Amino acid sequence: MQFTYYGQAGFQVVIAGKKILFDPFITENPLAKDIDVKEILPDFIFLSHGHGDHIADVANIAQQSGALVVCNPEVHAYLEKQGVTNVHEVNHGAPVDFGFGKVRAVNAIHSSGLPDGSYGGNPMGFVVTSDEKNFYFAGDTALTLDMQLVPLFGKMDFAVFPIGGNYTMDYNDAVIAADFSKVDKVVGVHYNTFPYITIDTVKAAEAFQNKGKELLLPAVGETIEL
Ligand code: NI
Ligand code: MN
């Protein structure tokens, strides 16, 4: 499965020929200055919550691609005001079949106010199961026992975890999250974008190695095979 990192918590995977983008924060992110947003043409855009560093580029990418945006009802209401009309609302609960695979919105311990101050509903992570690969994107979250439910939903091939701390798990908690969700391969995101979440990436990789796990840190704009 192709995985492209777009900075902060933003990434795109390709499953069954469909491009699936998560949490795009590109034009306002100096670390992503070399990414040309106009070239991002997903079929789906999934949003974990309404914070600006997860939805800043949704309206323009949705507009240019016609992608189906999947988010909670409160983020939907906000996006509607920005002219985004092709939206599928979900909330925490059962898996939903999107054709390329099934996606279940799961708990995330965080907040979700929208950039205009309106209520953003509850933040979420996503468990994606498909004929190709299964993975768990935790969104912005603290370590939580809910992660122990993830293996009940399928054997995950990898997880995408925030590792920057301060607003979310740090890399040490992410190692425990990998244990809880029974994954050995983790893509680290949500680090180094802001001073509060600047980390030592060598120490982060060591924390995973010490537990027999692998931490992948693709560069912004890099595509890796997972
Ligand atoms: Ni957030
Ligand atoms: Mn965030």
Side-chain angles (χ1 to χ4, degrees):
M1 178 192 285
Q2 257 186 24
F3 178 105
T4 303
Y5 183 47
Y6 286 123
Q8 189 62 344
F11 65 94
Q12 182 173 274
V13 294
V14 182
I15 306 173
K18 298 293 182 190
K19 294 180 193 149
I20 305 143
L21 179 70
F22 292 81
D23 286 9
F25 172 67
I26 297 161
T27 50
E28 294 175 21
N29 181 2
L31 299 182
K33 64 177 178 354
D34 294 332
I35 307 277
D36 184 358
V37 176
K38 292 196 178 67
E39 287 179 3
I40 302 177
L41 298 167
D43 299 289
F44 296 87
I45 305 172
F46 283 77
L47 304 174
S48 65
H49 65 296
H51 287 160
D53 61 318
H54 297 258
I55 66 164
D57 286 293
V58 174
N60 54 351
I61 294 175
Q63 208 87 49
Q64 72 195 14
S65 64
L68 178 67
V69 179
V70 183
C71 60
N72 76 16
E74 293 81 6
V75 174
H76 179 194
Y78 171 80
L79 291 176
E80 242 174 3
K81 288 182 249 167
Q82 299 197 324
V84 179
T85 52
N86 192 19
V87 178
H88 182 123
E89 287 182 1
V90 296
N91 220 324
H92 306 88
V96 178
D97 195 338
F98 286 99
F100 63 84
K102 291 180 178 173
V103 183
R104 178 193 293 261
V106 295
N107 201 24
I109 304 295
H110 195 62
S111 56
S112 179
L114 288 153
D116 65 356
S118 59
Y119 171 62
N122 290 315
M124 47 182 57
F126 297 109
V127 172
V128 179
T129 53
S130 74
D131 289 341
E132 293 179 27
K133 290 274 162 77
N134 301 332
F135 68 95
Y136 168 37
F137 170 44
D140 277 9
T141 185
L143 183 64
T144 165
L145 286 170
D146 289 282
M147 291 164 175
Q148 293 182 354
L149 292 171
V150 171
L152 302 182
F153 306 147
K155 170 68 188 147
M156 298 300 117
D157 295 287
F158 65 94
V160 181
F161 284 160
I163 58 169
N166 194 76
Y167 301 108
T168 67
M169 299 191 282
D170 61 9
Y171 55 79
N172 289 312
D173 283 357
V175 173
I176 301 170
D179 264 335
F180 282 180
S181 52
K182 295 201 166 87
V183 296
D184 292 326
K185 191 180 285 187
V186 170
V187 182
V189 299
H190 214 274
Y191 69 98
N192 286 2
T193 313
F194 312 117
Y196 278 157
I197 59 173
T198 298
I199 64 164
D200 182 331
T201 52
V202 174
K203 283 189 178 150
E206 281 170 4
F208 279 82
Q209 274 161 19
N210 290 341
K211 297 289 183 186
K213 297 184 185 296
E214 186 182 9
L215 178 67
L216 302 167
L217 298 176
V220 177
E222 187 181 354
T223 298
I224 58 173
E225 192 66 34
L226 284 170

